[in-house]
Amino acid sequence: MLSAFTARPLVELRQRDKSKIESILAYGDRLLVGLNTGSLRIYRVNETQDHKPKENGTTNADDKPPSRPSSSAATKPVDLLREVEKFSTRAIEQLARIKEANVLISLSASYVSIYDLQNYTLQEQLTKTKNATTFAVTSNIVQDSATGIPEIISRLAVAVKRRLLLWSWHESELGSDTVEITLAESIRTLTWTSATKIICGMNSGYVIVDVLTQEVEDIVGPGAIGGAPGAPQGRFGGMGSASMGYMGLGGYIPKPLASKLADGEMLLSKDINSLFTTSDGKSMNKRQIPWAQAPEAIGYTYPYIIALQAPAKGALEVRNPETLSLLQTISLPNASSLSFPPPTVSLAHAGKGFHVASDRCIWAMGATDYDSQVDELVEKGLYDEAISILDMLEDALLRNKHERLREIKIQKAQVLFDQRKYRDAIDIFLRKDVQAPPERVIRLYPKVIAGDLSIIEEKKPEDDAESAENSEHSNGVSPGLEEGPSEMVGSPKPAAISKLIKGHQKSGSDTSSIRSFTKLDAADVSDTASIKAKPAEDRPLEGKDLVNAALELNAFLVDARNRMKSSLDAETGRLIPRDKSKQNSQNGENGFQHSFESFLNSPASDSEKDQEEKLREAAKLIDTTLFRSYMLARPQLVGALFRIPNFCDPDVVNEKLLEKGRYHDLVDFFHGKKLHRPALELLKKFGMAEKEEESAPTLHGPQRIIGYLQNLPPEMIDLILEFAEWPLRVSPDLAMEIFLGDTENAETLPRDKVINFLEGINIDLAVKYLEHVINELNDLTPEFHNQLVAAYLHDLKARKDRDSPDWKDLMSRLTTFLRTSKQYALWKAFGAIPKDDPDFYEAQAVVLSNMGQHKQALEIYVFKIKDFEKAEEYCNHVHLQTTPDSSPPQSRKESTPETDEALPPSIYTTLLSLYLTPPPPHSPNWPPALDLLSKHGSRLPASSTLNLIPTTLPVGELESYFRGRIRAANSIVNEARIVAGMRKTEVVNAQATLLLGDGLPGGNGGRNRGVFVSKERVCGGCHKRLGGSVIAVLPDNGVVHYGCLNRTNGRNTGTGMEALRSASWR
């Protein structure tokens, strides 16, 4: 089924030529052919246009490649340059060259000989190689262990029965030493694994030999590869199928084969058994190649394993090294040997050509274009093979390798999905190297999930009726079968399934000479093969299958949402700057580009606006589909989706949720999409309903709409006030949490609008809000303070229950607010307070007090309220506000007439004057006046106080007053004495510290301060010895030269007395 190689005949011996081809060697444009007659023919391969394969890339197995080049060709495939007839006396069994030494190695007449590669003359016949059966050469760049200089070392290994002989060339010079290693039995094949290790194939198995240390290690493998000496076994432990012969003819022991693969792997094959090993001979955990018959020869050409079947069959097999699948079989009659370039060349894509030879013909195997090979595999539905080939090939050999690999994996996942393998399909879609576009995944689902994007046609009722009519037939066979294959009506096949069916209906072409097919071992079949082996299920995607598919889709869509966050801001819907996206991406620029393109089904332009629009469309598709999938499979997850930023289509969500009666989720969705008006209308509708809805019982009442309004930002104040009216009228206390709640939204609402709104509903609500704003939020806006005063007064005037506790509490709040607030307009508040209402006298007094009208305020307390205790408290309050908390003792002097006149009149004097000389028609009030004199006599000026006392008052009534005055005077005198004594003590302590150093650590202070200057002590400024120089002692007892004093202090201290003041010296 694959046209990886095409066979082009190069050389064919004519019928009259009785010689046979024994060995070939190809390098550059030269082709060396060793014949059984001992002659050596040298051909030059001409550059000719390769025979292109047929369109389908396959040939009929019965056709054979042309036996000779076409006579119509303008240029011959090869030109015979020379024939060395006496190159050897016997058949030339094997040829090889050592490029660095420019020599040709030949095995003939059981000897290995060395020839000059230019003139083909014999240089040396290695006599030690008598009875040689095979040899192998290798050239490698090896770093010299002594000098570290790399050099080219070529080695020749020759098998002589049980002996392994080794020669080496160092920089094209043949070494004189020969290494000989003896093994357990005769050697049949030799294969180099590295520069120093070689695998020897024997009848009993394989060994790997280190040519430097001469260590021999057995290679353990299955069947004949690792069996006991002389007892080769088959795959299942018995005699191999190829070793069984007719009785009397003897047993045939298959040849042990080996070939070097890519990345240091080795392939060993004996009989129908195979083993993959490392270059050190360690077995790898890989299954065997499912060969039906033992191959005649094996090899490797990038990137395929080549196996040649027995000449009787004449078939060349091409296999995938990873999947081991048979990709191509080429019929080459009587082909018996393979010739590959050296391993160092054949592993590179430049050396992908090789040659196949029979005893009469040589074919050049040319590789077709890798892109066409991959396209052919994809067209035939062999996705696993195409993916494997792409993984093995280098990036430079393909066009857009990573994009094609991703596309093929997506196609494979689509086929798996069509086969109801949802988990496997979604796993592929989710792979980091795939990340399928969401649109391609979603369209695989029916319209209930994918909407109009679905490619699956829905079953129609009329189709059901037609299907029922067609199903009624007498013989149980649909009449339509006579005309062609029938399809189940109403159960449309997905696109991938239809493609597979069409692929199976194609007939193979027989116009080409190369037969290609896929043949897999029955015990181990790849995923894709199993897909094509089992027909797709034709039933519609519904029921349990649809739920399972939706659950797997959820995982894909959630992953896509998370990846979308690196490219698109979910909050704003804006494109995230590329620099920030690259920082978040672990793969930098490439990771960002891949992440961006993975969401798009078609490429976007370089314009950021176009990219942003494309991403928003993809995000809308992802979230809307995820919503539909949740509604189908996991409805309880819908609310969680709506509580995070999303791009769901509002129309689809609204329709679905209303249909299912999921009003809670609908409200959450409206809130997430900032569609607040529809959400509030829905909440109001259910909240005001007379009866609870069975589908949404918690929406009944004002609680839900109040909670919603609390979460709205201040910018939505008009909407908040519009829908807050009904809750405020129904449940004022609960609804006021919209404005009084301890949330940022409530604290930042426009307060003027809220106050005006609440005043229109209920003045008490406005008062409650104003108290919250002023007392708790400490709002100092004068207008709010004025409004609160006006609201208090309005409520107090309007109420009739003045004797109730509520009214008295409200009046207390008013007076407290008037006394503490400094922001309201005093004149406006005083004008609003009733003047003749006894209940408002105290409020008038408070306002007058704030206005500085203390006498008027005291008149209210004394003459109107007649509460002398409150009048005294008022005076105490004013006195504390006007008098400092503490005054120095010097200022507290005894009262004299001169000092009394200089001081402003005391508030107590004002109250005393109101008691003793009240304005008419009031009469003097002696009891409170005498009580005031006894309590606050010291605060009253003596001269003015005595002038107020009438001469008719007995002196005995003033005893308490005079006693208080005398006590106050004595207190001042005593306090002055105490202060004087404390200051004397302070002076003595300061003198002791300065003179004697008392209180300092060590007592080294004052006149007792001293320093010790030794001979080794150096100056702290110049770091020279002090010696007998004039020194200065710093406050920290540091010692410097007197000349270094200025530099040490960092400033110029002058000379003479200035220097003396700054430091002392000795």
Side-chain angles (χ1 to χ4, degrees):
M1 291 186 124
L2 176 65
S3 299
F5 296 95
T6 56
R8 181 168 66 96
L10 293 180
V11 177
E12 182 179 8
L13 302 182
R14 300 183 180 277
Q15 292 184 355
R16 62 174 177 269
D17 190 348
K18 302 304 181 183
S19 57
K20 295 182 180 180
I21 300 173
E22 293 289 339
S23 60
I24 60 174
L25 173 65
Y27 62 93
D29 62 345
R30 293 292 186 269
L31 177 62
L32 277 61
V33 180
L35 304 179
N36 63 339
T37 60
S39 299
L40 179 67
R41 293 181 182 177
I42 299 95
Y43 294 91
R44 181 182 63 219
V45 180
N46 299 320
E47 292 291 339
T48 58
Q49 184 179 5
D50 295 335
H51 294 275
K52 296 183 179 180
K54 299 297 182 179
E55 182 179 356
N56 58 0
T58 58
T59 60
N60 194 309
D62 298 334
D63 292 342
K64 298 181 180 180
S67 62
R68 66 183 69 216
S70 174
S71 59
S72 61
T75 305
K76 295 181 179 180
V78 294
D79 293 328
L80 180 61
L81 301 180
R82 180 180 176 185
E83 181 175 359
V84 184
E85 294 183 353
K86 297 182 179 181
F87 185 80
S88 175
T89 58
R90 303 282 295 276
I92 305 174
E93 300 177 14
Q94 189 175 354
L95 292 173
R97 74 161 181 157
I98 299 178
K99 178 181 178 182
E100 292 72 23
N102 199 29
V103 296
L104 177 65
I105 310 299
S106 171
L107 173 61
S108 179
S110 299
Y111 281 95
V112 173
S113 303
I114 302 176
Y115 294 83
D116 186 282
L117 194 57
Q118 298 298 327
N119 51 27
Y120 307 104
T121 58
L122 179 65
Q123 290 184 353
E124 181 181 0
Q125 186 179 57
L126 303 179
T127 56
K128 292 184 179 182
T129 61
K130 184 180 180 181
N131 296 323
T133 55
T134 184
F135 70 85
V137 296
T138 184
S139 296
N140 302 90
I141 298 176
V142 180
Q143 190 173 11
D144 188 271
S145 58
T147 62
I149 300 175
E151 61 177 347
I152 298 178
I153 297 180
S154 301
R155 288 188 172 92
L156 168 65
V158 182
V160 181
K161 296 184 179 179
R162 294 171 53 196
R163 293 180 300 150
L164 176 64
L165 304 179
L166 298 166
W167 284 266
S168 61
W169 280 259
H170 294 264
E171 296 294 344
S172 71
E173 293 294 334
L174 178 62
S176 57
D177 298 335
T178 302
V179 179
E180 180 176 336
I181 302 173
T182 303
L183 302 183
E185 61 178 294
S186 298
I187 303 171
R188 297 189 65 184
T189 58
L190 295 173
T191 307
W192 287 97
T193 64
S194 64
T196 59
K197 292 187 177 182
I198 188 171
I199 290 181
C200 303
M202 302 174 293
N203 289 337
S204 61
Y206 295 85
V207 295
I208 184 168
V209 180
D210 191 322
V211 299
L212 298 182
T213 62
Q214 300 187 13
E215 293 181 357
V216 180
E217 183 179 355
D218 292 333
I219 298 177
V220 180
I225 291 179
Q233 296 181 349
R235 182 183 303 178
F236 302 103
M239 297 298 294
S241 59
S243 65
M244 300 175 63
Y246 291 104
M247 186 176 297
L249 296 180
Y252 167 72
I253 301 177
K255 184 178 181 180
L257 306 176
S259 177
K260 188 172 183 178
L261 308 180
D263 301 327
E265 292 186 19
M266 297 294 298
L267 172 61
L268 310 181
S269 175
K270 188 176 181 184
D271 195 1
I272 58 174
N273 299 286
S274 62
L275 176 68
F276 290 91
T277 68
T278 64
S279 59
D280 296 328
K282 304 300 180 182
S283 177
M284 301 178 65
N285 188 19
K286 295 182 68 174
R287 62 190 181 91
Q288 297 190 48
I289 299 177
W291 276 316
Q293 296 180 356
E296 184 72 14
I298 62 173
Y300 178 81
T301 181
Y302 184 83
Y304 300 108
I305 294 177
I306 306 299
L308 183 63
Q309 296 295 335
K313 186 176 182 182
L316 183 71
E317 295 182 352
V318 180
R319 290 184 179 269
N320 186 332
E322 296 295 332
T323 64
L324 307 182
S325 303
L326 179 60
L327 300 179
Q328 184 180 11
T329 299
I330 305 175
S331 178
L332 300 173
N334 301 319
S336 58
S337 63
L338 300 173
S339 176
F340 295 92
T344 55
V345 178
S346 63
L347 294 185
H349 58 81
K352 59 187 177 182
F354 63 99
H355 296 79
V356 182
S358 67
D359 56 356
R360 303 292 296 176
C361 185
I362 300 175
W363 294 272
M365 306 303 298
T368 59
D369 182 63
Y370 290 129
D371 289 306
S372 61
Q373 294 182 30
V374 173
D375 293 339
E376 186 177 355
L377 290 172
V378 172
E379 182 180 356
K380 298 180 184 305
L382 302 176
Y383 302 110
D384 283 338
E385 302 298 334
I387 293 171
S388 176
I389 296 300
L390 285 172
D391 286 335
M392 290 186 293
L393 293 174
E394 299 176 5
D395 295 354
L397 303 179
L398 297 162
R399 299 189 308 270
N400 302 324
K401 173 184 174 180
H402 298 288
E403 289 77 5
R404 298 184 67 189
L405 186 60
R406 175 175 178 252
E407 176 62 27
I408 293 173
K409 289 181 179 179
I410 292 176
Q411 294 182 16
K412 175 187 174 182
Q414 291 175 346
V415 173
L416 291 172
F417 184 90
D418 293 338
Q419 293 297 319
R420 304 297 193 254
K421 298 180 180 180
Y422 310 116
R423 175 66 60 84
D424 297 336
I426 296 299
D427 287 344
I428 296 177
F429 288 138
L430 283 175
R431 286 180 186 173
K432 191 173 182 179
D433 58 339
V434 177
Q435 292 181 350
E439 181 179 344
R440 295 190 61 176
V441 180
I442 294 171
R443 70 196 321 169
L444 300 175
Y445 286 80
K447 289 186 177 181
V448 67
I449 291 179
D452 296 336
L453 194 64
S454 174
I455 60 174
I456 301 177
E457 296 181 359
E458 298 291 340
K459 185 191 297 185
K460 298 180 180 179
E462 53 269 20
D463 294 338
D464 294 340
E466 182 179 353
S467 176
E469 293 177 0
N470 292 337
S471 62
E472 297 176 358
H473 49 82
S474 58
N475 56 2
V477 179
S478 175
L481 290 177
E482 298 178 359
E483 299 178 0
S486 65
E487 296 184 1
M488 182 182 295
V489 179
S491 300
K493 298 181 179 63
I497 300 302
S498 301
K499 185 176 181 180
L500 289 176
I501 294 176
K502 292 179 181 179
H504 285 302
Q505 292 175 351
K506 291 182 179 179
S507 59
S509 174
D510 57 355
T511 59
S512 176
S513 62
I514 299 175
R515 177 172 53 92
S516 300
F517 58 90
T518 298
K519 188 176 183 180
L520 302 173
D521 188 80
D524 192 355
V525 183
S526 66
D527 294 340
T528 305
S530 63
I531 290 174
K532 296 183 68 64
K534 298 179 181 179
E537 301 178 10
D538 283 346
R539 65 178 183 273
L541 185 58
E542 59 187 8
K544 186 177 180 180
D545 280 344
L546 181 57
V547 173
N548 294 334
L551 291 176
E552 299 302 332
L553 178 65
N554 293 346
F556 173 81
L557 295 176
V558 170
D559 179 79
R561 290 189 87 257
N562 294 332
R563 289 188 288 112
M564 180 71 74
K565 294 178 183 178
S566 63
S567 303
L568 192 68
D569 191 342
E571 294 283 351
T572 62
R574 305 288 296 177
L575 191 67
I576 295 178
R578 180 163 298 191
D579 295 338
K580 185 176 180 180
S581 298
K582 287 189 290 184
Q583 291 176 2
N584 297 334
S585 177
Q586 297 180 355
N587 298 328
E589 178 70 25
N590 294 334
F592 169 81
Q593 192 66 20
H594 175 69
S595 176
F596 172 76
E597 294 178 352
S598 64
F599 297 106
L600 308 181
N601 200 27
S602 58
S605 64
D606 296 334
S607 171
E608 288 190 2
K609 184 177 181 181
D610 183 46
Q611 293 179 357
E612 182 177 303
E613 183 179 355
K614 292 277 189 182
L615 282 178
R616 276 202 298 266
E617 292 177 358
K620 181 178 180 181
L621 175 63
I622 292 171
D623 287 351
T624 304
T625 306
L626 183 60
F627 161 73
R628 288 193 178 111
S629 182
Y630 278 161
M631 288 296 296
L632 178 68
R634 293 289 186 270
Q636 62 272 21
L637 298 179
V638 171
L641 175 63
F642 294 156
R643 285 188 285 272
I644 59 177
N646 61 82
F647 295 90
C648 293
D649 188 347
D651 296 335
V652 175
V653 174
N654 190 29
E655 179 184 357
K656 280 284 184 183
L657 293 180
L658 288 178
E659 178 183 349
K660 299 295 183 180
R662 301 186 66 87
Y663 304 108
H664 284 285
D665 295 333
L666 184 58
V667 171
D668 291 338
F669 171 74
F670 284 146
H671 183 271
K673 301 299 289 184
K674 295 181 174 53
L675 301 174
H676 302 300
R677 180 172 292 278
L680 291 170
E681 290 176 351
L682 184 65
L683 291 173
K684 186 176 180 180
K685 172 185 176 183
F686 286 100
M688 296 179 64
E690 296 182 359
K691 297 182 180 180
E692 295 182 358
E693 289 284 343
E694 295 181 1
S695 58
T698 59
L699 297 184
H700 185 72
Q703 292 85 357
R704 190 69 174 84
I705 193 172
I706 291 172
Y708 192 98
L709 291 172
Q710 283 182 291
N711 293 323
L712 293 182
E715 296 80 13
M716 310 293 296
I717 182 62
D718 295 333
L719 192 65
I720 294 173
L721 299 180
E722 177 183 350
F723 286 91
E725 182 177 358
W726 169 68
L728 285 171
R729 297 187 184 279
V730 175
S731 179
D733 294 337
L734 183 62
M736 280 302 293
E737 289 298 319
I738 301 173
F739 311 105
L740 305 181
D742 188 13
T743 61
E744 183 179 358
N745 290 339
E747 294 177 0
T748 55
L749 289 173
R751 294 168 185 174
D752 53 345
K753 292 186 177 181
V754 175
I755 294 171
N756 296 333
F757 170 72
L758 293 177
E759 286 179 347
I761 297 179
N762 191 334
I763 190 64
D764 293 336
L765 300 180
V767 169
K768 190 175 183 180
Y769 180 73
L770 285 169
E771 288 178 342
H772 171 77
V773 169
I774 295 173
N775 298 333
E776 297 185 20
L777 303 183
N778 196 26
D779 194 322
L780 302 179
T781 305
E783 182 63 27
F784 295 160
H785 288 248
N786 293 331
Q787 287 182 337
L788 181 57
V789 172
Y792 277 144
L793 293 174
H794 180 272
D795 195 9
L796 289 170
K797 294 175 185 178
R799 298 180 62 171
K800 303 300 182 180
D801 53 341
R802 296 195 175 188
D803 295 332
S804 65
D806 291 341
W807 194 92
K808 293 179 180 180
D809 178 67
L810 183 61
M811 175 58 72
S812 175
R813 285 152 49 193
L814 171 61
T815 55
T816 303
F817 178 73
L818 292 174
R819 185 176 293 112
T820 57
S821 175
K822 304 299 180 184
Q823 306 300 323
Y824 63 91
L826 298 174
W827 60 270
K828 189 174 183 180
F830 184 75
I833 297 175
K835 301 299 184 296
D836 300 328
D837 194 335
D839 294 328
F840 292 91
Y841 285 159
E842 186 174 1
Q844 291 182 30
V846 172
V847 176
L848 289 171
S849 174
N850 292 337
M851 296 171 68
Q853 303 296 328
H854 301 297
K855 185 175 181 180
Q856 288 83 347
L858 288 173
E859 287 179 352
I860 293 176
Y861 282 115
V862 174
F863 302 121
K864 293 184 177 181
I865 301 178
K866 295 182 180 181
D867 191 338
F868 307 120
E869 292 182 359
K870 287 187 178 183
E872 184 179 351
E873 290 177 2
Y874 178 83
C875 292
N876 293 337
H877 177 71
V878 174
H879 176 74
L880 292 176
Q881 287 183 341
T882 57
T883 304
D885 294 340
S886 62
S887 59
Q890 294 84 348
S891 65
R892 298 172 59 185
K893 298 181 181 180
E894 188 177 358
S895 178
T896 62
E898 292 76 8
T899 58
D900 292 345
E901 293 178 359
L903 294 174
S906 172
I907 187 65
Y908 294 101
T909 304
T910 304
L911 179 58
L912 183 62
S913 65
L914 291 177
Y915 283 150
L916 300 178
T917 59
H922 304 286
S923 59
N925 196 345
W926 289 103
L930 293 176
D931 184 63
L932 181 65
L933 288 172
S934 63
K935 293 181 180 179
H936 306 283
S938 60
R939 297 174 181 175
L940 294 171
S943 59
S944 60
T945 302
L946 294 175
N947 291 332
L948 292 175
I949 298 175
T951 57
T952 59
L953 182 69
V955 178
E957 299 292 337
L958 301 176
E959 178 184 0
S960 59
Y961 168 71
F962 290 119
R963 185 173 294 172
R965 293 289 301 181
I966 294 171
R967 188 181 294 113
N970 291 337
S971 298
I972 294 173
V973 173
N974 294 335
E975 183 178 355
R977 290 174 181 175
I978 294 172
V979 172
M982 294 179 67
R983 286 184 175 177
K984 288 180 181 179
T985 304
E986 185 179 3
V987 170
V988 172
N989 291 337
Q991 290 176 348
T993 302
L994 294 174
L995 297 177
L996 303 177
D998 293 345
L1000 297 176
N1004 189 14
R1007 293 184 181 274
N1008 292 334
R1009 189 162 68 101
V1011 294
F1012 178 75
V1013 181
S1014 62
K1015 293 181 179 181
E1016 290 78 13
R1017 189 158 184 173
V1018 296
C1019 173
C1022 64
H1023 303 291
K1024 295 179 181 179
R1025 289 188 179 184
L1026 294 172
S1029 304
V1030 181
I1031 63 173
V1033 181
L1034 301 177
D1036 60 352
N1037 290 339
V1039 182
V1040 295
H1041 288 114
Y1042 182 74
C1044 299
L1045 179 60
N1046 297 340
R1047 183 170 49 190
T1048 304
N1049 291 338
R1051 65 182 186 277
N1052 186 9
T1053 58
T1055 58
M1057 294 305 296
E1058 295 181 359
L1060 293 177
R1061 296 189 187 96
S1062 63
S1064 61
W1065 70 91
R1066 293 179 186 268

